[in-house]
Amino acid sequence: MNDASTANKNLMQGATGPWEIVIGLEVHAQVNSKSKLFSGSSTAFGAEPNSHVSLVDAAMPGMLPVINEECVAQAIRTGLGLKAQINNRSIFDRKNYFYPDLPQGYQISQYKYPIVGEGVIEIDAEGESMTVGIERLHLEQDAGKSIHDQHPDYSYVDLNRSGVALMEIVSKPDMRSAKQAQAYVTKLRTILRYLETCDGDMEKGNLRADVNVSVRKPGDKLGTRCEIKNVNSIRFIGQAIEVEARRQIGIIEDGGKIDQETRLFDPAKGETRAMRSKEEAHDYRYFPDPDLLPLEFTQGYVDGLKAHLPELPDEKKARFIKDFGLSAYDASVLVAEKANADYFEIVAKDRDGKIAANWVINELFGRLNKEGKDIEHSPVSAAQLGGIVGLISSNAISGKIAKDLFEIVWTEGGDPADIVEKRGMKQVTDTGAIEKAVNEIIKANPEKVEQAKLKPSMLGWFVGQVMKQTGGKAAPAAVSDMLKAKLGIE
Ligand code: ADP
Ligand code: MG
């Protein structure tokens, strides 16, 4: 919810003063299921065009749709994950329009009676937490794909996607900035991936957003919105909102008014362009599909699905903060992808959670990023990183040596404790050995010793020299204490 302080910083400055941006999103998420919503054809991506097309998908006369129960279960799981109202009775409607990639001449969708009603998503945007309302979630068929760039004179149609199940998840117009909209889609994607109801792969078009944007003077009623269709990356969602809001403000400030229309975002030009004037619901001649009965299920069925839901990101985050003493920020970073959270839990089990989080987030993610690897293919397994963290927590090795050790495990593999043992990497806590090194450094640098008496910040230089002398193995705290005593620094 936007209190005054967060609302202010989100305002966009125009020539006539500040404007508020209002955003609502319709996200299309492809349902994870082996077969399509009303036919048994495969949903596999990247197949030869028109190789996954049943008679139902090609809309041959007389063919009848048969609902795929797995898709229904996936929609219910998603609704539960959005803490939403599950409607035990819903209706499939025909949404009539003509397009070459829609052989039926209508899309089977849900209109008045969707399978899922109101819910919520908690998001964090720019350090502020807020709740975005979900209006509804309904099931519908995807269309096929028109291909225009294969031949100068012809267009082709690939029906592999025709009939694949989509969940359309409609938010309330609760967002007030590009950052909030991006945080919303990111969080929704995370929830879907945890639930395994959609893989969230935006590059493949498995998750795409229609972005509704309007502007108003703070306190005014909602302005006329434009809908930007099919934006397929988080970055483009942010850019599209900013340029569209700017465009609308310009028109209104020039004395014009906004036409409600459907627009396209062109990332190359950084602008949105009119596609068509907005169609109204009555243009589609919605009516209940006579080939399908109302979709009904019992509360027992819903409860059964609920009992098997995985732990979701918000709950996991709260548990990480409580059980491992993590900061809210570190916990959010770790739960953003389930694979990362699972990895962290193995590293942190029975060990120092903060050190574990630090190593996973900074060393491991940093290195994986640099090499373009994902965590499933990490050369350092969670058990190995856990071993390293264990050695650090027990003071067997210093932080500096731990980095060398990480490097060895990354490139050569092996058991961290064995490596430390065999290569003599154990931290030197033996005061005799440390004292020897300290004495040598002091003896070799009489001028610096004099300076240090006047300038205590020189201590760092001495610690560095002793660490070098001992090959990084001396315990830094012990070195520092001994140097202070010998140099007479407080
Ligand atoms: P339709 O069915 O015509 O697309 P809806 O009322 O279902 O219209 O709204 C579609 C989306 O537009 C929703 O995500 C909603 O939050 C958003 N929306 C509605 N009014 C506005 C507005 N004035 N400004 C921005 N977004 C809006
Ligand atoms: Mg709509």
Side-chain angles (χ1 to χ4, degrees):
M1 315 277 117
N2 286 284
D3 62 24
S5 63
T6 67
N8 276 342
K9 91 169 176 243
N10 290 325
L11 297 178
M12 190 177 250
Q13 208 55 38
T16 61
W19 291 82
E20 186 176 42
I21 310 175
V22 175
I23 304 149
L25 295 172
E26 296 161 277
V27 169
H28 290 91
Q30 182 175 323
V31 174
N32 266 353
S33 71
K34 291 208 172 64
S35 52
K36 296 183 181 179
L37 183 53
F38 297 113
S39 84
S41 341
S42 163
T43 57
F45 180 81
E48 181 80 2
N50 296 310
S51 60
H52 295 321
V53 186
S54 72
L55 297 173
V56 174
D57 311 321
M60 288 297 143
M63 298 310 298
L64 289 173
V66 177
I67 185 88
N68 175 347
E69 187 190 328
E70 181 53 18
C71 296
V72 173
Q74 292 289 54
I76 296 172
R77 288 185 189 107
T78 306
L80 292 168
L82 302 177
K83 301 179 177 59
Q85 160 78 34
I86 307 297
N87 296 322
N88 296 26
R89 183 173 199 273
S90 63
I91 306 269
F92 284 104
D93 294 285
R94 291 187 179 180
K95 179 179 182 180
N96 298 279
Y97 66 98
F98 172 79
Y99 209 75
D101 62 21
L102 186 76
Q104 285 171 158
Y106 57 85
Q107 176 193 34
I108 305 178
S109 181
Q110 297 190 303
Y111 180 52
K112 264 199 189 134
Y113 304 99
I115 182 166
V116 175
E118 293 191 348
V120 288
I121 293 186
E122 305 290 337
I123 65 167
D124 292 311
E126 297 178 289
E128 314 265 354
S129 302
M130 64 180 277
T131 304
V132 175
I134 300 293
E135 182 75 45
R136 57 187 275 151
L137 175 159
H138 66 252
L139 275 168
E140 63 184 27
Q141 300 174 298
D142 205 348
K145 194 168 89 186
S146 299
I147 302 164
H148 305 294
D149 56 6
Q150 295 278 312
H151 193 283
D153 301 325
Y154 302 108
S155 286
Y156 296 91
V157 174
D158 174 8
L159 293 181
N160 282 350
R161 234 173 50 191
S162 166
V164 167
L166 301 177
M167 298 179 281
E168 178 170 337
I169 301 157
V170 182
S171 85
K172 301 204 170 174
D174 284 351
M175 288 153 278
R176 296 291 177 269
S177 70
K179 286 271 182 340
Q180 289 177 3
Q182 290 177 309
Y184 168 82
V185 177
T186 304
K187 185 64 177 288
L188 173 58
R189 180 175 177 277
T190 300
I191 294 171
L192 295 171
R193 284 173 56 79
Y194 267 68
L195 291 165
E196 296 181 25
T197 57
C198 167
D199 69 14
D201 191 333
M202 298 187 83
E203 271 167 35
K204 288 187 186 153
N206 295 351
L207 187 89
R208 42 197 203 261
D210 297 344
V211 184
N212 294 272
V213 178
S214 66
V215 298
R216 65 176 173 187
K217 285 284 165 109
D220 280 3
K221 64 176 178 36
L222 286 181
T224 302
R225 75 186 140 111
C226 287
E227 177 175 353
I228 311 159
K229 274 281 175 204
N230 263 332
V231 190
N232 62 2
S233 83
I234 304 276
R235 189 157 58 94
F236 290 164
I237 289 171
Q239 291 173 357
I241 290 168
E242 301 264 336
V243 298
E244 177 59 15
R246 195 44 77 206
R247 185 188 73 87
Q248 293 183 12
I249 291 169
I251 291 174
I252 302 171
E253 290 190 331
D254 285 345
K257 74 181 224 333
I258 304 301
D259 294 323
Q260 184 171 341
E261 60 190 5
T262 303
R263 302 181 67 85
L264 275 184
F265 176 61
D266 179 342
K269 295 216 172 97
E271 61 181 30
T272 66
R273 273 199 301 278
M275 196 165 117
R276 54 175 191 251
S277 67
K278 167 82 182 159
E279 54 293 298
E280 300 288 337
H282 63 247
D283 296 326
Y284 288 119
R285 300 293 189 274
Y286 278 102
F287 65 89
D289 192 312
D291 290 340
L292 288 158
L293 289 168
L295 177 59
E296 291 180 318
F297 41 79
T298 61
Q299 190 54 39
Y301 179 65
V302 177
D303 292 342
L305 295 172
K306 193 173 190 172
H308 291 98
L309 285 189
E311 181 183 40
L312 290 171
D314 288 345
E315 302 155 13
K316 206 183 271 298
K317 178 178 164 187
R319 183 166 62 79
F320 280 8
I321 293 172
K322 186 166 154 286
D323 290 0
F324 296 111
L326 303 190
S327 68
Y329 180 79
D330 283 356
S332 309
V333 171
L334 290 168
V335 304
E337 284 289 349
K338 185 164 175 296
N340 293 345
D342 291 347
Y343 186 106
F344 165 76
E345 282 212 70
I346 297 171
V347 176
K349 188 164 188 294
D350 302 325
R351 302 197 178 98
D352 184 313
K354 280 188 180 156
I355 296 179
N358 182 31
W359 273 78
V360 171
I361 294 171
N362 296 316
E363 302 303 323
L364 181 76
F365 289 177
R367 189 63 193 269
L368 288 171
N369 246 338
K370 205 167 108 198
E371 310 228 346
K373 286 195 155 72
D374 54 33
I375 200 154
E376 283 88 351
H377 301 103
S378 171
V380 177
S381 71
Q384 286 171 316
L385 188 55
I388 298 176
V389 168
L391 291 163
I392 302 169
S393 321
S394 66
N395 275 320
I397 56 172
S398 66
K400 156 99 185 41
I401 290 290
K403 291 194 185 184
D404 298 342
L405 177 59
F406 179 81
E407 192 56 40
I408 295 169
V409 176
W410 180 281
T411 47
E412 299 169 28
D415 175 57
D418 277 357
I419 296 170
V420 165
E421 202 54 59
K422 287 206 185 98
R423 305 200 189 183
M425 295 165 85
K426 270 226 169 80
Q427 179 152 266
V428 178
T429 46
D430 163 21
T431 38
I434 293 175
E435 186 165 20
K436 184 163 164 278
V438 166
N439 287 342
E440 280 171 25
I441 296 296
I442 286 181
K443 194 161 161 231
N445 298 282
E447 284 148 53
K448 290 231 161 54
V449 171
E450 284 313 306
Q451 290 167 14
K453 292 194 169 123
L454 305 167
K455 202 173 151 219
S457 61
M458 291 277 300
L459 179 67
W461 182 85
F462 278 95
V463 173
Q465 293 303 305
V466 175
M467 293 306 286
K468 213 189 243 169
Q469 179 93 350
T470 58
K473 287 186 293 186
V479 172
S480 175
D481 286 349
M482 193 169 292
L483 276 165
K484 276 186 193 159
K486 298 216 177 214
L487 295 170
I489 295 175
E490 229 331 271

